[in-house]
Amino acid sequence: MTARILKIAVPVPLYKCFDYLAPSECNETVAAGTRAVIQFGKRQLIGIVISEHATSDVPVNKLRAIKQLLPQPLPAELLHFLQWAASYYQQPIGEALNHALPALLRQIDQQQVLASLWQLSEAGRLQNADALSRAPRQAELLRQLQQHIHGMDKSQLDRLDFKWRDSLRALEKKGWVMRLSQSDAGALVQHRAHIATKPLLNDEQKHAVDTVAASLDNFQAFLLEGITGSGKTEVYLQLVEQVILKNEQSLILVPEINLTPQLISRFEERFSIPIAVLHSGLNNSQRLLAWQQARDNQVQIIIGTRSALFTPLAKPGLIIIDEEHDSSYKQQDSFRYHARDLALVRAKRLNIPLLMGSATPSLESLYNCQQGRYQRLALTRRAGKALPPKLQLLDVRRKPMQEGLSDHLVAAIKQTLANKSQVLLFLNRRGYAPTLLCHDCGWVMPCPRCDARLTYHHYRKLMRCHHCGHETRPPDACPECQCKELINIGIGTERLEQHLNSLFPDKHVSRIDSDTTSRKGSLDKKLAEAHSGEADILIGTQMLAKGHDFPHVTLVGILDVDSSLFSSDFRAPEFMAQQLIQVAGRAGRAEKPGQVIIQTHHPEHPLLQTLLHHGYAAFAKSALIERQLASFPPYSALALLRAEATQAYLPGKFLEQAFERLSLYQPAVELFGPFPSPMERRAGRYRHQLLIQATSRAALQQCMNKVIPALNTLADANKVRWSIDIDPQSML
Ligand code: ADP
Ligand code: ZN
Ligand code: ZN
């Protein structure tokens, strides 16, 4: 009898698969994508079957047998797509597959996979927990379940500080709690009774919908370019409706779920069918449930962040990427991939259209339109009655400034508040002040683990590093000269908030950054205040540049645009322009016209000039010409090889060894470095990098395929942590 050998992808950072024998009791062919419990060294792991063979490079009597084959395989389409992705991004296949599987399918404990979810019934939702005062545990459980409207699983219940089983049973008996098993469709979603009426599309929207709809049976990439408020979401909604009518599924990717509640509620309001929303607040059972529902065509609308791209789709019809320029589509660690670029590949393999929308498309996508690879669809007017905001550069050179605000901006704030409108101030720097300086000797307080300064956080009275999370008390005196006069230099959102509170003591100032919104529910509360008009002045970091309509905001102040004008990263101007236009787009979305004031010391800067006087499209055009002159992407392909170690000399040494291998492929690829990374030391580790440039992605791939999987054989490979980043978005 011939041996049955299965090639298994194992979740370890190695560029190969491992051979195992099929379990002896297994007679059928084993489908690729099947999950298998294996012994790997001393550990038991779940691997994925890639293929079956009759021979192995390892003697058959040395091979171990698979312990168990598990149900719920990775569907073949998804498996092959992930194999492609792992190979393009030069990531170990086992890690890529592991990244795409829901956590419960990666766990060996089968109890967990079959775990249940408990959710309140309609009656349970209406109960007042206080009425259960004679059963305090039941009351507490009821309260918890009322807070977790999507249900709780065992692991969540186990976190309660009492034994919950009896109380749960009591609530089940009352008919207030239902137990959902994974085959229950619709558990994640609420059914709605009515479908909201839809607006009549304007000509441009209609053209966009008709064009994409005409191609629903084929692959085609579309770029929907429209200023904020021009009705892109409405285009998505009406296309998704057509896909539903064909009994097919739509996958919609958004940059961050918490920051796009409006988009999701518009989908929920429009359609009376289940929607799977994959957000970070889901527990593992809910995530698995959503995965299974998509796989079994029990949901036709799936909305999620970048990793939702790896959702199995029974009847794929359309992929939409909202805010396609957003950098959060790039995963920056472990499995490094770009969800927008990969969505294109998946849509092509599925032979369905891909629709990418943005007010400020990436230069890459605009280039692809120029090349005829994407079809461009434009929305040039704001839908409804809203007018586009007026942008104004404010030259603050030699002007009196207080805590980052010029007199002119303060006057505009006063005026806006007097008109009972809201103000939004944009400052992309958290904390109180980014530098603590000794007035006597000039010492500045560094992070002990990074080449960076510590930021003072007034609210928590702590110095914090924004790169490694290091925290410490502010010193009483300068460690160099013992002087007690230490000054906070620079302005963060906390300091701005404090200043505005003293300027406008009777106004409600609301700061929205990751420090004030980290607690569960706090972001929703802040956003509700902003929408209702309860907050008068909103202070925000980049969080506020995304996805929100603030209908009462009529003045946007951008405090510090200058710091991004002089970055060494070639993508910095693009990001700056996108952020500026996105923040500006938050103003005047209802019937009140908006005004945007940009404070700068460089009013003549060509980038700002082009952007303000000729708009984003003109800016993008000139920026693309600059990229071409400098041979940067999309006119070339890049890869960044990074290495880090606790000893300073090791990363450079390892990269020199890699350089030697790579240099065999010159001149098809050009090599720059190795150099120390822009912040050489971070979290106590030294970092170096080597940039690899090729004239095309194909040329880059050829070289990468040969070199990267073999890097672990280099002399110093096991002394460093190294990683490869194909199409890097950040050079840091
Ligand atoms: P975007 O996604 O481009 O920011 P939206 O789709 O959110 O734009 O549209 C902005 C506002 O205009 C929303 O309140 C939306 O309901 C409304 N709107 C969109 N299209 C139309 C239309 N054809 N007629 C009337 N109102 C519309
Ligand atoms: Zn000093
Ligand atoms: Zn640090």
Side-chain angles (χ1 to χ4, degrees):
M1 202 178 88
T2 55
R4 294 187 61 194
I5 295 157
L6 298 175
K7 255 190 198 332
I8 307 281
V10 181
V12 291
L14 295 172
Y15 286 87
K16 60 176 199 172
C17 292
F18 294 83
D19 288 350
Y20 283 82
L21 296 171
S24 49
E25 70 279 7
C26 165
N27 298 319
E28 308 100 70
T29 46
V30 181
T34 301
R35 300 180 307 127
V37 180
I38 50 163
Q39 188 74 33
F40 189 78
K42 292 206 170 81
R43 291 183 292 166
Q44 275 203 25
L45 294 174
I46 292 187
I48 303 285
V49 175
I50 298 293
S51 52
E52 180 165 346
H53 304 263
T55 58
S56 170
D57 296 339
V58 182
V60 170
N61 59 6
K62 291 257 164 70
L63 290 178
R64 284 173 155 164
I66 286 171
K67 299 204 143 162
Q68 194 188 351
L69 292 169
L70 300 174
Q72 313 229 34
L74 197 63
E77 178 264 326
L78 199 52
L79 173 70
H80 296 145
F81 169 58
L82 281 156
Q83 282 180 292
W84 189 95
S87 145
Y88 178 81
Y89 287 104
Q90 302 293 330
Q91 306 293 322
I93 177 68
E95 291 202 316
L97 293 175
N98 201 41
H99 180 85
L101 270 186
L104 286 183
L105 295 184
R106 287 182 253 139
Q107 288 174 12
I108 294 189
D109 181 2
Q110 289 305 293
Q111 286 309 109
Q112 284 284 346
V113 178
L114 302 172
S116 301
L117 199 60
W118 286 274
Q119 197 180 41
L120 287 181
S121 65
E122 196 63 43
R125 259 178 252 153
L126 298 173
Q127 298 304 320
N128 181 358
D130 297 337
L132 285 172
S133 57
R134 289 202 294 162
R137 285 183 186 165
Q138 286 181 41
E140 177 55 23
L141 190 57
L142 185 64
R143 257 180 230 115
Q144 289 289 333
L145 285 162
Q146 284 173 339
Q147 278 169 25
H148 295 87
I149 53 161
H150 294 304
M152 295 174 79
D153 66 2
K154 181 173 172 300
S155 68
Q156 284 172 313
L157 291 165
D158 282 341
R159 267 177 251 138
L160 300 175
D161 55 8
F162 56 88
K163 294 215 173 66
W164 49 269
R165 285 192 184 275
D166 289 342
S167 316
L168 191 74
R169 221 158 283 143
L171 293 180
E172 267 180 303
K173 270 209 189 112
K174 292 189 169 90
W176 297 354
V177 171
M178 314 175 288
R179 182 189 179 128
L180 301 166
S181 74
Q182 268 143 25
S183 54
D184 289 326
L188 275 183
V189 290
Q190 292 154 12
H191 291 265
R192 308 217 172 224
H194 75 287
I195 304 179
T197 49
K198 53 187 179 193
L200 219 55
L201 298 178
N202 65 33
D203 290 349
E204 289 178 327
Q205 286 174 312
K206 188 165 174 346
H207 173 70
V209 170
D210 291 347
T211 310
V212 180
S215 149
L216 280 183
D217 293 321
N218 309 298
F219 165 72
Q220 169 66 42
F222 299 94
L223 179 67
L224 180 63
E225 186 176 357
I227 55 170
T228 357
S230 61
K232 294 185 294 298
T233 311
E234 190 56 44
V235 169
Y236 304 157
L237 287 164
Q238 302 214 6
L239 277 167
V240 166
E241 182 183 333
Q242 301 211 17
V243 175
I244 292 169
L245 292 175
K246 290 181 71 198
N247 192 27
E248 290 179 349
Q249 296 170 299
S250 300
L251 173 64
I252 300 134
L253 300 189
V254 295
E256 267 171 87
I257 298 270
N258 300 335
L259 300 179
T260 43
Q262 286 161 342
L263 181 128
I264 291 158
S265 54
R266 278 172 68 186
F267 273 85
E268 288 175 341
E269 276 158 25
R270 181 66 57 88
F271 301 109
S272 62
I273 57 166
I275 298 179
V277 181
L278 298 157
H279 57 85
S280 57
L282 294 185
N283 60 40
N284 288 342
S285 305
Q286 291 165 330
R287 200 168 287 280
L288 178 60
L289 199 58
W291 194 87
Q292 291 164 331
Q293 289 180 332
R295 181 195 62 194
D296 302 340
N297 200 22
Q298 289 166 348
V299 285
Q300 289 183 296
I301 303 175
I302 299 117
I303 306 180
T305 46
R306 62 173 179 250
S307 61
L309 179 64
F310 305 120
T311 309
L313 298 170
K315 292 229 168 227
L318 173 67
I319 303 179
I320 293 174
I321 304 202
D322 191 30
E323 309 290 359
E324 65 86 30
H325 65 278
D326 199 284
S327 52
S328 66
Y329 286 121
K330 177 75 200 293
Q331 171 133 325
Q332 307 279 17
D333 53 17
S334 65
F335 176 28
R336 292 175 174 76
Y337 66 92
H338 200 301
R340 179 195 60 218
D341 298 356
L342 269 187
L344 187 88
V345 176
R346 190 160 187 212
K348 203 179 220 165
R349 300 174 71 104
L350 293 171
N351 199 29
I352 59 173
L354 169 68
L355 175 62
M356 296 165 273
S358 176
T360 52
S362 61
L363 297 186
E364 269 86 355
S365 293
L366 290 170
Y367 173 78
N368 281 323
C369 287
Q370 281 178 10
Q371 300 290 306
R373 282 198 280 265
Y374 298 177
Q375 189 173 342
R376 183 169 173 269
L377 301 165
L379 303 180
T380 55
R381 291 181 301 274
R382 280 197 157 185
K385 299 196 192 91
L387 298 167
K390 278 204 275 309
L391 274 65
Q392 178 197 348
L393 277 182
L394 181 65
D395 182 357
V396 294
R397 284 174 297 184
R398 294 178 301 273
K399 299 276 161 57
M401 304 275 282
Q402 270 188 29
E403 307 291 43
L405 297 172
S406 62
D407 291 353
H408 182 96
L409 183 53
V410 172
I413 296 174
K414 278 193 182 133
Q415 184 64 50
T416 307
L417 295 175
N419 292 341
K420 304 250 173 304
S421 288
Q422 271 175 323
V423 176
L424 189 163
L425 297 176
F426 181 74
L427 177 62
N428 210 2
R429 199 182 297 119
R430 296 183 290 125
Y432 187 83
T435 306
L436 186 69
L437 176 92
C438 170
H439 192 46
D440 242 34
C441 75
W443 170 84
V444 295
M445 188 168 190
C447 172
R449 310 173 67 218
C450 305
D451 295 330
R453 294 165 185 177
L454 295 181
T455 296
Y456 180 53
H457 283 249
H458 183 68
Y459 180 67
R460 297 184 53 213
K461 305 256 180 312
L462 278 177
M463 304 296 304
R464 289 188 62 185
C465 175
H466 288 182
H467 304 282
C468 72
H470 176 80
E471 287 184 351
T472 180
R473 303 242 141 244
D476 297 327
C478 170
E480 298 284 323
C481 75
Q482 274 64 52
C483 159
K484 295 224 164 134
E485 203 174 333
L486 298 172
I487 12 181
N488 278 304
I489 307 276
I491 290 134
T493 48
E494 278 189 348
R495 187 169 195 165
L496 183 62
E497 178 187 28
Q498 195 182 62
H499 181 59
L500 287 163
N501 275 327
S502 67
L503 275 183
F504 303 103
D506 55 339
K507 297 291 177 190
H508 181 160
V509 180
S510 174
R511 171 163 62 93
I512 305 183
D513 58 25
S514 53
D515 295 324
T516 63
T517 55
S518 54
R519 259 187 311 124
K520 200 172 149 71
S522 54
L523 177 63
D524 291 343
K525 183 163 168 279
K526 292 233 160 216
L527 291 176
E529 282 173 7
H531 285 282
S532 68
E534 205 181 320
D536 300 300
I537 303 177
L538 312 172
I539 299 174
T541 54
Q542 58 179 357
M543 284 179 87
L544 276 202
K546 297 184 188 184
H548 288 282
D549 301 358
F550 296 115
H552 305 296
V553 168
T554 59
L555 172 66
V556 172
I558 297 179
L559 266 56
D560 181 27
V561 75
D562 293 347
S563 55
S564 49
L565 288 175
F566 301 99
S567 164
S568 58
D569 195 318
F570 73 90
R571 288 186 206 272
E574 177 185 355
F575 291 155
M576 190 278 276
Q578 288 164 346
Q579 206 162 59
L580 213 150
I581 299 292
Q582 293 285 346
V583 179
R586 305 300 129 206
R589 293 206 70 180
E591 269 121 71
K592 308 174 183 176
Q595 179 192 10
V596 180
I597 296 179
I598 303 162
Q599 296 192 146
T600 178
H601 290 87
H602 299 275
E604 309 302 329
H605 197 288
L607 205 149
L608 289 176
Q609 286 293 328
T610 312
L611 195 57
L612 258 77
H613 297 298
H614 307 286
Y616 182 80
F619 157 80
K621 213 166 161 189
S622 65
L624 266 174
I625 293 171
E626 275 181 33
R627 293 263 183 106
Q628 185 167 24
L629 293 175
S631 294
F632 278 129
Y635 299 93
S636 66
L638 296 181
L640 197 58
L641 182 60
R642 299 183 177 94
E644 56 174 62
T646 45
Q647 275 166 295
Y649 75 96
L650 275 172
K653 189 160 170 247
F654 167 78
L655 289 178
E656 288 293 349
Q657 294 159 9
F659 184 100
E660 227 169 277
R661 293 278 177 99
L662 287 159
S663 60
L664 301 176
Y665 297 86
Q666 284 167 327
V669 300
E670 265 189 276
L671 303 174
F672 301 91
F675 299 120
S677 304
M679 182 187 298
E680 183 176 354
R681 201 166 55 103
R682 194 169 72 190
R685 304 176 74 87
Y686 292 86
R687 307 164 336 128
H688 286 232
Q689 59 193 37
L690 174 60
L691 185 66
I692 304 143
Q693 185 175 38
T695 48
S696 70
R697 281 178 162 175
L700 184 67
Q701 277 301 301
Q702 247 177 11
C703 162
M704 295 290 99
N705 287 339
K706 291 267 166 36
V707 178
I708 301 301
L711 284 184
N712 277 326
T713 62
L714 293 178
D716 287 307
N718 57 1
K719 297 186 190 140
V720 300
R721 259 193 227 156
W722 67 266
S723 64
I724 183 76
D725 193 353
I726 305 288
D727 306 333
Q729 290 292 298
S730 156
M731 295 295 150
L732 295 182

